[in-house]
Amino acid sequence: MEIRRATTVAELLAAGHLYDGPPREEWAARFLAAPGHLMLIAYAEDGFPAGFVSGIEMLHPDKGAEMCLYELAVDESHRRRGIGRALTEALVTEARARGCRGAWVPVDTDNEPALATYRSAGAADEGVFAMLGWTFGGDD
């Protein structure tokens, strides 16, 4: 397995089977152009995109830079091989290299595979929290 930073729209689109829904070329281009956005893709020996992790570097006046692990996915046929942990560790390494003071990830408290992956990569439980959101109409 090889983990590489995605730098082209083609790479993001080729990993489309890993996303929750079909990728759109214009959104992939915006993702790559946005400062602080990062996607690392794990490739199997045959070049198949087996997993990805995306992160967003965030900056705040009183917190400095932090990395949010936005999403992690591993192809079902490649799970239980340490790919999720390796991707998580690679994102944390990149966050340190960028000078981030820390990294964090929101995760459902009943998502045991995700919790186990993040813990195996060194994350500590910081407690239960509620996540609230707004949904706006339209596709973009």
Side-chain angles (χ1 to χ4, degrees):
M1 175 192 60
E2 178 185 8
I3 296 175
R4 295 191 312 257
R5 180 178 181 174
T7 59
T8 68
V9 169
E11 290 171 297
L12 296 182
L13 297 179
H17 62 281
L18 298 166
Y19 307 144
D20 295 329
R24 290 182 34 181
E25 189 171 337
E26 62 269 23
W27 291 348
R30 281 181 64 186
F31 178 90
L32 291 173
H37 283 59
L38 172 69
M39 183 172 295
L40 303 174
I41 300 176
Y43 293 92
E45 289 181 17
D46 63 359
F48 178 74
F52 81 88
V53 65
S54 60
I56 302 172
E57 183 180 338
M58 298 158 55
L59 188 61
H60 198 271
D62 71 334
K63 294 173 185 61
E66 297 179 309
M67 181 67 71
C68 169
L69 188 159
Y70 186 78
E71 190 168 359
L72 172 70
V74 176
D75 184 77
E76 192 170 335
S77 67
H78 289 79
R79 291 182 184 164
R80 311 277 311 152
R81 299 181 192 181
I83 295 172
R85 183 183 69 245
L87 283 163
T88 301
E89 290 171 344
L91 184 70
V92 169
T93 297
E94 179 64 24
R96 281 192 184 107
R98 289 175 177 227
C100 293
R101 65 183 281 269
W104 55 277
V105 58
V107 59
D108 292 329
T109 57
D110 63 349
N111 187 339
E112 291 301 327
L115 290 167
T117 297
Y118 301 137
R119 287 177 178 138
S120 75
D125 190 339
E126 294 186 358
V128 177
F129 73 96
M131 186 168 98
L132 308 175
W134 292 260
T135 300
F136 306 115
D139 289 334
D140 47 10

